[in-house]
Amino acid sequence: MSKADHMLSILWMLKQQKRTAGELAEALELSVRSVYRYIDSLCASGVPIIADAGPGGGYSLPEHFIEAPLFFDSEEQRALVHASTFARGTGYPYVEALDRAIGKLKRYSNSGQLEQMERHESGLETIHTPSPPLEHLLKELEICTAGRHTLQMDYRKGNQATASSRSIDPYGLVLWKGQWYTVAYCHERLEIRSFRVDRIIALLRTGTSFERPEHFSARDFLLQGLLPGQKEQENLVTVRIASGEAILNDLCSHWLFGHTLQARTEGQARFQLDEGSLYSYAPYFLLPYGTSLQILEPAALKQKLAAVAFKLAHHYEN
């Protein structure tokens, strides 16, 4: 452990209870002389360590300092262990580092705090779709996004057998529906584009750097790409659907319908979709709901849905 780690460990231990130099030395596998040296360094840096001499003495921290921002309160501890749970299984590239941080948090917590953390940790679980191992790619993309490093990328599109090479300026990473995307400026196409990380074959730093557009949001860019025609706000068609609250809640949570919702009343929801989405995405999403919802308008959507259902029935009849 580094000097900083030892000093932080001493702080965490003193946060729990008063300890002697010998107890600190034994717990950290240090010499008592080293503990004295670290205590002196902490005091020199402004930490108000109280030293009591004689029997029953030792080192402690004043009550007001225990609640200082350096330490986490119970809600912050809960949030950290929950964040670790959410990160696991997503391909997040720093899970091991997060585990080490949680390990340190638990190691230097008292028994009551540890029990509370473990209760909250066991009470929250997530289910992730298995994904290919992308940690090395995600870590490099995250580092180069933060460091503004231009990358040479070998990338294979879904419909291509061979990979193409291009230079990109990575602007951000986005996780959407279990898939990681990097939003980047493509030097080949001279425009900002999104790329699926699982289709990246290789990454190599070019040695050059870039400036990221101010206030740019990779999330917003990707979302606009998922909502064709919404930018122009032209040729939008009003869609009204009637159903029970549970069905409407489910419908409004969908990525397309949720972002095109215009109004919601009891038993009804009104959306505005571009024609492309209306007749390509919407019918196939609405079909599984069967008769549990009613399309009030437009009539063309009802006709399209009927045609899709007829084609499906004809396929299975034969």
Side-chain angles (χ1 to χ4, degrees), residues 227 230 239-241 248-249 251-265 268-273:
L227 298 173
Q230 298 302 311
V239 177
R240 284 196 307 124
I241 296 176
L248 291 178
N249 288 340
L251 190 63
C252 291
S253 69
H254 183 255
W255 63 270
L256 177 61
F257 286 92
H259 287 91
T260 57
L261 178 67
Q262 297 296 306
R264 175 83 180 266
T265 57
Q268 281 192 33
R270 178 167 56 86
F271 310 91
Q272 278 201 317
L273 277 70

Side-chain angles (χ1 to χ4, degrees), residues 39-47:
I39 292 288
D40 289 341
S41 296
L42 286 168
C43 291
S45 68
V47 179

Side-chain angles (χ1 to χ4, degrees), residues 263-285:
R264 175 83 180 266
T265 57
E266 185 176 355
Q268 281 192 33
R270 178 167 56 86
F271 310 91
Q272 278 201 317
L273 277 70
D274 66 286
E275 290 184 348
S277 300
L278 183 64
Y279 302 118
S280 58
Y281 297 110
Y284 298 95
F285 179 73

Side-chain angles (χ1 to χ4, degrees), residues 24-307:
L24 292 170
E26 182 179 359
L28 298 174
E29 298 182 349
L30 296 170
S31 66
V32 173
R33 184 183 295 272
S34 294
V35 170
Y36 289 147
R37 188 167 63 250
Y38 290 137
I39 292 288
D40 289 341
S41 296
L42 286 168
C43 291
S45 68
V47 179
I49 295 178
I50 301 171
D52 295 322
Y59 295 105
S60 61
L61 293 171
E63 284 296 324
H64 75 274
F65 190 80
I66 289 177
E67 299 301 325
L70 174 65
F71 302 104
F72 303 114
D73 61 29
S74 59
E75 285 192 351
E76 292 165 341
Q77 292 171 345
R78 184 188 316 164
L80 287 170
V81 295
H82 284 172
S84 176
T85 300
F86 278 114
R88 206 171 308 281
T90 65
Y92 176 68
Y94 299 107
V95 168
E96 290 186 2
L98 189 54
D99 285 342
R100 292 197 303 271
I102 297 298
K104 287 180 181 179
L105 178 64
K106 291 181 177 180
R107 190 179 310 125
Y108 302 117
S109 298
N110 59 42
S111 58
Q113 293 169 330
L114 183 60
E115 182 184 4
Q116 278 293 101
M117 275 190 287
E118 290 179 342
R119 283 185 179 181
H120 288 290
E121 188 175 22
S122 64
L124 180 70
E125 297 181 82
T126 61
I127 299 175
H128 294 289
T129 302
S131 58
L134 303 173
E135 286 85 353
H136 66 293
L137 292 173
L138 290 168
K139 184 175 291 187
E140 181 66 0
L141 286 166
E142 190 279 327
I143 291 172
C144 292
T145 297
R148 307 295 194 258
H149 301 304
T150 298
L151 290 164
Q152 190 70 24
M153 176 181 70
D154 292 338
Y155 187 78
R156 183 172 55 231
K157 291 184 178 179
N159 58 351
Q160 292 181 347
T162 58
S164 61
S165 183
R166 67 188 75 195
S167 293
I168 62 168
D169 299 335
Y171 288 169
L173 283 165
V174 183
L175 177 64
W176 183 71
K177 296 188 74 172
Q179 288 285 357
W180 282 98
Y181 296 81
T182 181
V183 175
Y185 179 81
C186 176
H187 289 262
E188 179 185 5
R189 297 298 180 90
L190 301 180
E191 63 181 5
I192 301 173
R193 307 192 71 183
S194 60
F195 303 93
R196 271 179 50 168
V197 177
D198 63 334
R199 293 177 180 171
I200 297 176
I201 308 302
L203 292 171
L204 180 67
R205 300 187 196 186
T206 64
T208 58
S209 58
F210 65 90
E211 287 296 324
R212 186 172 183 265
E214 190 175 3
H215 307 307
F216 179 82
S217 169
R219 173 191 174 277
D220 290 346
F221 178 86
L222 184 65
L223 184 59
Q224 288 293 346
L226 295 170
L227 298 173
Q230 298 302 311
K231 274 187 178 180
E232 295 78 7
Q233 294 294 308
E234 296 177 356
N235 300 320
L236 296 182
V237 179
T238 296
V239 177
R240 284 196 307 124
I241 296 176
S243 187
E245 291 302 300
I247 298 296
L248 291 178
N249 288 340
D250 190 51
L251 190 63
C252 291
S253 69
H254 183 255
W255 63 270
L256 177 61
F257 286 92
H259 287 91
T260 57
L261 178 67
Q262 297 296 306
R264 175 83 180 266
T265 57
E266 185 176 355
Q268 281 192 33
R270 178 167 56 86
F271 310 91
Q272 278 201 317
L273 277 70
D274 66 286
E275 290 184 348
S277 300
L278 183 64
Y279 302 118
S280 58
Y281 297 110
Y284 298 95
F285 179 73
L286 295 174
L287 186 63
Y289 289 99
T291 58
S292 62
L293 56 77
Q294 182 181 1
I295 299 171
L296 302 179
E297 63 172 311
L301 178 57
K302 292 191 282 187
Q303 294 166 2
K304 177 66 175 179
L305 192 58

